mmCIF file of all heavy atoms in Angstrom:
data_model
loop_
_atom_site.group_PDB
_atom_site.id
_atom_site.type_symbol
_atom_site.label_atom_id
_atom_site.label_comp_id
_atom_site.label_asym_id
_atom_site.label_seq_id
_atom_site.Cartn_x
_atom_site.Cartn_y
_atom_site.Cartn_z
ATOM 1 N N GLU A 1 7.351 4.316 -3.472
ATOM 2 C CA GLU A 1 7.961 5.066 -2.217
ATOM 3 C C GLU A 1 6.804 5.207 -1.233
ATOM 4 O O GLU A 1 5.708 5.147 -1.525
ATOM 5 C CB GLU A 1 8.360 6.351 -2.783
ATOM 6 C CG GLU A 1 9.508 6.508 -3.846
ATOM 7 C CD GLU A 1 10.812 6.019 -3.208
ATOM 8 O OE1 GLU A 1 10.994 5.952 -1.937
ATOM 9 O OE2 GLU A 1 11.656 5.573 -4.049
ATOM 10 N N TRP A 2 7.276 5.460 0.008
ATOM 11 C CA TRP A 2 6.406 5.652 1.074
ATOM 12 C C TRP A 2 5.440 6.792 0.717
ATOM 13 O O TRP A 2 5.915 7.884 0.405
ATOM 14 C CB TRP A 2 7.053 5.821 2.350
ATOM 15 C CG TRP A 2 6.156 5.618 3.597
ATOM 16 C CD1 TRP A 2 6.082 4.506 4.275
ATOM 17 C CD2 TRP A 2 5.252 6.569 4.161
ATOM 18 N NE1 TRP A 2 5.195 4.628 5.303
ATOM 19 C CE2 TRP A 2 4.577 5.880 5.272
ATOM 20 C CE3 TRP A 2 4.775 7.871 3.885
ATOM 21 C CZ2 TRP A 2 3.625 6.449 6.026
ATOM 22 C CZ3 TRP A 2 3.838 8.430 4.653
ATOM 23 C CH2 TRP A 2 3.237 7.729 5.708
ATOM 24 N N GLY A 3 4.149 6.585 0.868
ATOM 25 C CA GLY A 3 3.160 7.688 0.456
ATOM 26 C C GLY A 3 2.533 7.377 -0.749
ATOM 27 O O GLY A 3 1.523 8.038 -1.126
ATOM 28 N N ASP A 4 3.029 6.469 -1.610
ATOM 29 C CA ASP A 4 2.348 6.040 -2.794
ATOM 30 C C ASP A 4 1.203 5.098 -2.558
ATOM 31 O O ASP A 4 1.332 4.237 -1.621
ATOM 32 C CB ASP A 4 3.311 5.472 -3.840
ATOM 33 C CG ASP A 4 4.472 6.461 -4.248
ATOM 34 O OD1 ASP A 4 4.179 7.680 -4.202
ATOM 35 O OD2 ASP A 4 5.542 5.922 -4.769
ATOM 36 N N ASP A 5 0.282 5.150 -3.361
ATOM 37 C CA ASP A 5 -0.799 4.083 -3.327
ATOM 38 C C ASP A 5 -0.297 3.003 -4.181
ATOM 39 O O ASP A 5 0.462 2.956 -5.054
ATOM 40 C CB ASP A 5 -2.189 4.609 -3.896
ATOM 41 C CG ASP A 5 -3.293 3.812 -3.260
ATOM 42 O OD1 ASP A 5 -3.086 2.977 -2.531
ATOM 43 O OD2 ASP A 5 -4.474 4.375 -3.622
ATOM 44 N N PHE A 6 -0.852 1.767 -3.839
ATOM 45 C CA PHE A 6 -0.489 0.565 -4.518
ATOM 46 C C PHE A 6 -1.333 0.379 -5.806
ATOM 47 O O PHE A 6 -2.523 0.621 -5.812
ATOM 48 C CB PHE A 6 -0.703 -0.781 -3.628
ATOM 49 C CG PHE A 6 0.194 -0.662 -2.377
ATOM 50 C CD1 PHE A 6 -0.354 -1.047 -1.246
ATOM 51 C CD2 PHE A 6 1.568 -0.300 -2.518
ATOM 52 C CE1 PHE A 6 0.517 -1.008 -0.028
ATOM 53 C CE2 PHE A 6 2.350 -0.355 -1.372
ATOM 54 C CZ PHE A 6 1.757 -0.673 -0.125
ATOM 55 N N GLY A 7 -0.637 -0.110 -6.847
ATOM 56 C CA GLY A 7 -1.253 -0.468 -8.044
ATOM 57 C C GLY A 7 -1.443 -1.982 -8.101
ATOM 58 O O GLY A 7 -1.111 -2.804 -7.202
ATOM 59 N N ALA A 8 -2.061 -2.331 -9.244
ATOM 60 C CA ALA A 8 -2.312 -3.847 -9.458
ATOM 61 C C ALA A 8 -1.072 -4.694 -9.270
ATOM 62 O O ALA A 8 -1.179 -5.771 -8.601
ATOM 63 C CB ALA A 8 -3.009 -4.079 -10.712
ATOM 64 N N PRO A 9 0.071 -4.467 -9.816
ATOM 65 C CA PRO A 9 1.195 -5.176 -9.757
ATOM 66 C C PRO A 9 1.743 -5.339 -8.272
ATOM 67 O O PRO A 9 2.158 -6.428 -7.831
ATOM 68 C CB PRO A 9 2.273 -4.600 -10.611
ATOM 69 C CG PRO A 9 1.513 -3.716 -11.616
ATOM 70 C CD PRO A 9 0.322 -3.162 -10.880
ATOM 71 N N HIS A 10 1.639 -4.200 -7.511
ATOM 72 C CA HIS A 10 2.085 -4.254 -6.166
ATOM 73 C C HIS A 10 1.087 -5.130 -5.273
ATOM 74 O O HIS A 10 1.597 -5.968 -4.546
ATOM 75 C CB HIS A 10 2.072 -2.831 -5.637
ATOM 76 C CG HIS A 10 2.815 -1.799 -6.450
ATOM 77 N ND1 HIS A 10 2.198 -0.762 -6.970
ATOM 78 C CD2 HIS A 10 4.031 -1.851 -6.763
ATOM 79 C CE1 HIS A 10 3.182 -0.044 -7.653
ATOM 80 N NE2 HIS A 10 4.225 -0.735 -7.541
ATOM 81 N N GLU A 11 -0.226 -4.997 -5.451
ATOM 82 C CA GLU A 11 -1.165 -5.799 -4.738
ATOM 83 C C GLU A 11 -1.009 -7.237 -5.093
ATOM 84 O O GLU A 11 -1.069 -8.104 -4.189
ATOM 85 C CB GLU A 11 -2.613 -5.379 -5.092
ATOM 86 C CG GLU A 11 -2.904 -3.972 -4.569
ATOM 87 C CD GLU A 11 -4.339 -3.529 -4.880
ATOM 88 O OE1 GLU A 11 -4.938 -4.182 -5.871
ATOM 89 O OE2 GLU A 11 -4.782 -2.623 -4.198
ATOM 90 N N THR A 12 -0.733 -7.553 -6.321
ATOM 91 C CA THR A 12 -0.659 -8.990 -6.745
ATOM 92 C C THR A 12 0.693 -9.629 -6.107
ATOM 93 O O THR A 12 0.597 -10.806 -5.654
ATOM 94 C CB THR A 12 -0.443 -9.100 -8.315
ATOM 95 O OG1 THR A 12 -1.726 -8.535 -8.835
ATOM 96 C CG2 THR A 12 -0.347 -10.581 -8.713
ATOM 97 N N ALA A 13 1.761 -8.747 -6.075
ATOM 98 C CA ALA A 13 3.005 -9.350 -5.525
ATOM 99 C C ALA A 13 2.797 -9.661 -4.022
ATOM 100 O O ALA A 13 3.346 -10.721 -3.549
ATOM 101 C CB ALA A 13 4.105 -8.363 -5.703
ATOM 102 N N ILE A 14 2.127 -8.805 -3.293
ATOM 103 C CA ILE A 14 1.957 -8.959 -1.946
ATOM 104 C C ILE A 14 0.979 -10.200 -1.617
ATOM 105 O O ILE A 14 1.261 -11.058 -0.819
ATOM 106 C CB ILE A 14 1.264 -7.748 -1.277
ATOM 107 C CG1 ILE A 14 2.265 -6.597 -1.310
ATOM 108 C CG2 ILE A 14 0.775 -8.023 0.239
ATOM 109 C CD1 ILE A 14 1.746 -5.193 -0.964
ATOM 110 N N ALA A 15 -0.133 -10.220 -2.432
ATOM 111 C CA ALA A 15 -1.101 -11.399 -2.256
ATOM 112 C C ALA A 15 -0.390 -12.781 -2.682
ATOM 113 O O ALA A 15 -0.638 -13.763 -2.022
ATOM 114 C CB ALA A 15 -2.270 -11.119 -3.168
ATOM 115 N N ASN A 16 0.340 -12.687 -3.608
ATOM 116 C CA ASN A 16 1.173 -13.975 -4.092
ATOM 117 C C ASN A 16 2.058 -14.542 -3.002
ATOM 118 O O ASN A 16 2.274 -15.616 -2.890
ATOM 119 C CB ASN A 16 1.861 -13.705 -5.386
ATOM 120 C CG ASN A 16 0.990 -13.705 -6.594
ATOM 121 O OD1 ASN A 16 -0.192 -14.034 -6.583
ATOM 122 N ND2 ASN A 16 1.507 -13.232 -7.668
ATOM 123 N N HIS A 17 2.603 -13.565 -2.163
ATOM 124 C CA HIS A 17 3.457 -13.999 -1.058
ATOM 125 C C HIS A 17 2.655 -14.831 -0.075
ATOM 126 O O HIS A 17 3.320 -15.814 0.525
ATOM 127 C CB HIS A 17 4.023 -12.733 -0.346
ATOM 128 C CG HIS A 17 5.016 -13.032 0.713
ATOM 129 N ND1 HIS A 17 6.230 -13.619 0.672
ATOM 130 C CD2 HIS A 17 4.698 -12.722 2.047
ATOM 131 C CE1 HIS A 17 6.638 -13.757 1.781
ATOM 132 N NE2 HIS A 17 5.897 -13.235 2.748
ATOM 133 N N TYR A 18 1.416 -14.566 0.169
ATOM 134 C CA TYR A 18 0.660 -15.324 1.109
ATOM 135 C C TYR A 18 -0.248 -16.355 0.535
ATOM 136 O O TYR A 18 -0.530 -17.385 1.218
ATOM 137 C CB TYR A 18 -0.241 -14.308 1.836
ATOM 138 C CG TYR A 18 0.551 -13.314 2.758
ATOM 139 C CD1 TYR A 18 0.889 -12.026 2.225
ATOM 140 C CD2 TYR A 18 1.067 -13.629 4.014
ATOM 141 C CE1 TYR A 18 1.658 -11.143 2.994
ATOM 142 C CE2 TYR A 18 1.744 -12.685 4.745
ATOM 143 C CZ TYR A 18 2.005 -11.453 4.278
ATOM 144 O OH TYR A 18 2.776 -10.633 4.986
ATOM 145 N N ASP A 19 -0.559 -16.211 -0.758
ATOM 146 C CA ASP A 19 -1.499 -17.138 -1.411
ATOM 147 C C ASP A 19 -2.796 -17.233 -0.680
ATOM 148 O O ASP A 19 -3.407 -18.354 -0.691
ATOM 149 C CB ASP A 19 -0.755 -18.469 -1.650
ATOM 150 C CG ASP A 19 -1.444 -19.246 -2.855
ATOM 151 O OD1 ASP A 19 -2.038 -18.668 -3.773
ATOM 152 O OD2 ASP A 19 -1.417 -20.573 -2.695
ATOM 153 N N LEU A 20 -3.216 -16.251 -0.028
ATOM 154 C CA LEU A 20 -4.479 -16.122 0.728
ATOM 155 C C LEU A 20 -4.935 -14.635 0.712
ATOM 156 O O LEU A 20 -4.093 -13.810 0.399
ATOM 157 C CB LEU A 20 -4.238 -16.533 2.245
ATOM 158 C CG LEU A 20 -4.037 -18.004 2.628
ATOM 159 C CD1 LEU A 20 -3.576 -18.206 4.018
ATOM 160 C CD2 LEU A 20 -5.348 -18.801 2.370
ATOM 161 N N PRO A 21 -6.192 -14.387 0.963
ATOM 162 C CA PRO A 21 -6.532 -13.052 1.182
ATOM 163 C C PRO A 21 -5.704 -12.392 2.343
ATOM 164 O O PRO A 21 -5.518 -13.039 3.413
ATOM 165 C CB PRO A 21 -8.031 -13.089 1.724
ATOM 166 C CG PRO A 21 -8.561 -14.471 1.110
ATOM 167 C CD PRO A 21 -7.322 -15.341 1.248
ATOM 168 N N VAL A 22 -5.190 -11.120 2.099
ATOM 169 C CA VAL A 22 -4.327 -10.611 3.015
ATOM 170 C C VAL A 22 -4.750 -9.128 3.276
ATOM 171 O O VAL A 22 -5.094 -8.380 2.369
ATOM 172 C CB VAL A 22 -2.826 -10.609 2.540
ATOM 173 C CG1 VAL A 22 -2.714 -10.000 1.171
ATOM 174 C CG2 VAL A 22 -1.879 -9.848 3.479
ATOM 175 N N PHE A 23 -4.664 -8.720 4.522
ATOM 176 C CA PHE A 23 -5.090 -7.275 4.875
ATOM 177 C C PHE A 23 -3.822 -6.480 4.861
ATOM 178 O O PHE A 23 -2.718 -6.836 5.497
ATOM 179 C CB PHE A 23 -5.604 -7.180 6.352
ATOM 180 C CG PHE A 23 -6.983 -7.737 6.569
ATOM 181 C CD1 PHE A 23 -7.318 -8.801 7.247
ATOM 182 C CD2 PHE A 23 -7.996 -7.032 5.927
ATOM 183 C CE1 PHE A 23 -8.573 -9.264 7.494
ATOM 184 C CE2 PHE A 23 -9.337 -7.397 6.113
ATOM 185 C CZ PHE A 23 -9.586 -8.529 6.852
ATOM 186 N N ILE A 24 -3.793 -5.394 4.069
ATOM 187 C CA ILE A 24 -2.771 -4.376 4.237
ATOM 188 C C ILE A 24 -3.301 -3.241 5.011
ATOM 189 O O ILE A 24 -4.400 -2.654 4.751
ATOM 190 C CB ILE A 24 -2.345 -3.815 2.841
ATOM 191 C CG1 ILE A 24 -1.897 -4.953 1.901
ATOM 192 C CG2 ILE A 24 -1.203 -2.796 2.921
ATOM 193 C CD1 ILE A 24 -1.625 -4.511 0.439
ATOM 194 N N ILE A 25 -2.691 -3.080 6.224
ATOM 195 C CA ILE A 25 -3.280 -2.137 7.181
ATOM 196 C C ILE A 25 -2.446 -0.873 7.299
ATOM 197 O O ILE A 25 -1.276 -0.807 7.107
ATOM 198 C CB ILE A 25 -3.432 -2.834 8.596
ATOM 199 C CG1 ILE A 25 -2.036 -3.173 9.183
ATOM 200 C CG2 ILE A 25 -4.313 -4.008 8.545
ATOM 201 C CD1 ILE A 25 -2.042 -3.809 10.543
ATOM 202 N N ASN A 26 -3.086 0.254 7.848
ATOM 203 C CA ASN A 26 -2.524 1.426 8.294
ATOM 204 C C ASN A 26 -1.862 2.095 7.082
ATOM 205 O O ASN A 26 -0.621 2.371 7.170
ATOM 206 C CB ASN A 26 -1.521 1.216 9.421
ATOM 207 C CG ASN A 26 -2.267 0.593 10.604
ATOM 208 O OD1 ASN A 26 -3.531 0.662 10.651
ATOM 209 N ND2 ASN A 26 -1.468 0.043 11.570
ATOM 210 N N TYR A 27 -2.633 2.596 6.161
ATOM 211 C CA TYR A 27 -2.066 3.383 4.997
ATOM 212 C C TYR A 27 -1.792 4.763 5.501
ATOM 213 O O TYR A 27 -2.312 5.321 6.426
ATOM 214 C CB TYR A 27 -3.103 3.420 3.857
ATOM 215 C CG TYR A 27 -3.233 2.176 3.047
ATOM 216 C CD1 TYR A 27 -3.797 1.029 3.487
ATOM 217 C CD2 TYR A 27 -2.744 2.164 1.698
ATOM 218 C CE1 TYR A 27 -3.946 -0.084 2.765
ATOM 219 C CE2 TYR A 27 -2.801 1.036 0.938
ATOM 220 C CZ TYR A 27 -3.342 -0.045 1.490
ATOM 221 O OH TYR A 27 -3.465 -1.176 0.684
ATOM 222 N N PRO A 28 -0.958 5.615 4.716
ATOM 223 C CA PRO A 28 -0.732 6.973 4.974
ATOM 224 C C PRO A 28 -2.040 7.779 4.987
ATOM 225 O O PRO A 28 -2.920 7.600 4.158
ATOM 226 C CB PRO A 28 0.193 7.468 3.911
ATOM 227 C CG PRO A 28 0.842 6.167 3.395
ATOM 228 C CD PRO A 28 -0.183 5.034 3.483
ATOM 229 N N THR A 29 -2.199 8.784 5.835
ATOM 230 C CA THR A 29 -3.278 9.604 5.875
ATOM 231 C C THR A 29 -3.581 10.368 4.543
ATOM 232 O O THR A 29 -4.673 10.508 4.177
ATOM 233 C CB THR A 29 -3.083 10.678 7.047
ATOM 234 O OG1 THR A 29 -2.780 10.010 8.283
ATOM 235 C CG2 THR A 29 -4.322 11.514 7.167
ATOM 236 N N SER A 30 -2.451 10.718 3.910
ATOM 237 C CA SER A 30 -2.489 11.530 2.785
ATOM 238 C C SER A 30 -3.255 10.819 1.602
ATOM 239 O O SER A 30 -3.687 11.541 0.606
ATOM 240 C CB SER A 30 -1.153 12.005 2.314
ATOM 241 O OG SER A 30 -0.353 10.871 2.062
ATOM 242 N N ILE A 31 -3.331 9.544 1.560
ATOM 243 C CA ILE A 31 -3.857 8.904 0.393
ATOM 244 C C ILE A 31 -5.197 8.210 0.721
ATOM 245 O O ILE A 31 -5.744 7.419 -0.110
ATOM 246 C CB ILE A 31 -2.948 7.768 -0.180
ATOM 247 C CG1 ILE A 31 -2.580 6.719 0.818
ATOM 248 C CG2 ILE A 31 -1.671 8.501 -0.818
ATOM 249 C CD1 ILE A 31 -1.762 5.611 0.151
ATOM 250 N N LYS A 32 -5.767 8.573 1.869
ATOM 251 C CA LYS A 32 -7.002 7.909 2.219
ATOM 252 C C LYS A 32 -8.083 9.033 2.507
ATOM 253 O O LYS A 32 -7.711 10.173 2.695
ATOM 254 C CB LYS A 32 -6.926 7.083 3.522
ATOM 255 C CG LYS A 32 -6.157 5.786 3.262
ATOM 256 C CD LYS A 32 -6.975 4.860 2.312
ATOM 257 C CE LYS A 32 -6.346 3.553 2.029
ATOM 258 N NZ LYS A 32 -7.078 2.764 1.031
ATOM 259 N N PRO A 33 -9.346 8.726 2.552
ATOM 260 C CA PRO A 33 -10.454 9.683 2.693
ATOM 261 C C PRO A 33 -10.339 10.426 4.061
ATOM 262 O O PRO A 33 -9.806 9.889 4.961
ATOM 263 C CB PRO A 33 -11.739 8.815 2.530
ATOM 264 C CG PRO A 33 -11.399 7.618 1.667
ATOM 265 C CD PRO A 33 -9.896 7.372 2.045
ATOM 266 N N PHE A 34 -11.125 11.496 4.108
ATOM 267 C CA PHE A 34 -11.003 12.453 5.246
ATOM 268 C C PHE A 34 -11.561 11.819 6.539
ATOM 269 O O PHE A 34 -11.214 12.233 7.623
ATOM 270 C CB PHE A 34 -11.816 13.682 4.914
ATOM 271 C CG PHE A 34 -13.302 13.432 4.871
ATOM 272 C CD1 PHE A 34 -14.059 13.792 6.045
ATOM 273 C CD2 PHE A 34 -13.932 12.998 3.718
ATOM 274 C CE1 PHE A 34 -15.454 13.603 5.974
ATOM 275 C CE2 PHE A 34 -15.349 12.833 3.786
ATOM 276 C CZ PHE A 34 -16.134 13.127 4.887
ATOM 277 N N TYR A 35 -12.427 10.778 6.483
ATOM 278 C CA TYR A 35 -13.159 10.279 7.680
ATOM 279 C C TYR A 35 -12.433 9.287 8.518
ATOM 280 O O TYR A 35 -12.994 8.701 9.428
ATOM 281 C CB TYR A 35 -14.468 9.823 7.275
ATOM 282 C CG TYR A 35 -14.461 8.797 6.162
ATOM 283 C CD1 TYR A 35 -13.989 7.499 6.342
ATOM 284 C CD2 TYR A 35 -14.869 9.149 4.829
ATOM 285 C CE1 TYR A 35 -13.938 6.543 5.326
ATOM 286 C CE2 TYR A 35 -14.870 8.227 3.789
ATOM 287 C CZ TYR A 35 -14.385 6.968 3.984
ATOM 288 O OH TYR A 35 -14.282 6.038 2.956
ATOM 289 N N MET A 36 -11.243 8.854 8.124
ATOM 290 C CA MET A 36 -10.565 7.738 8.767
ATOM 291 C C MET A 36 -9.883 8.149 9.999
ATOM 292 O O MET A 36 -9.172 9.258 10.067
ATOM 293 C CB MET A 36 -9.560 7.105 7.840
ATOM 294 C CG MET A 36 -10.301 6.311 6.647
ATOM 295 S SD MET A 36 -9.201 5.338 5.628
ATOM 296 C CE MET A 36 -10.341 4.601 4.532
ATOM 297 N N GLN A 37 -10.008 7.361 11.071
ATOM 298 C CA GLN A 37 -9.388 7.632 12.452
ATOM 299 C C GLN A 37 -7.838 7.462 12.406
ATOM 300 O O GLN A 37 -7.349 6.633 11.812
ATOM 301 C CB GLN A 37 -9.973 6.557 13.345
ATOM 302 C CG GLN A 37 -9.400 6.640 14.824
ATOM 303 C CD GLN A 37 -10.075 7.887 15.587
ATOM 304 O OE1 GLN A 37 -10.973 8.500 14.994
ATOM 305 N NE2 GLN A 37 -9.508 8.167 16.777
#
């Protein structure tokens, strides 16, 4: 669900779609450290 962090199966599924290193950008504020813009 929106707001959840990704686990290994989720990251693998996304990476397999591209078969390359892929950036996942703009995570929810609630699951990231305090210092992010």
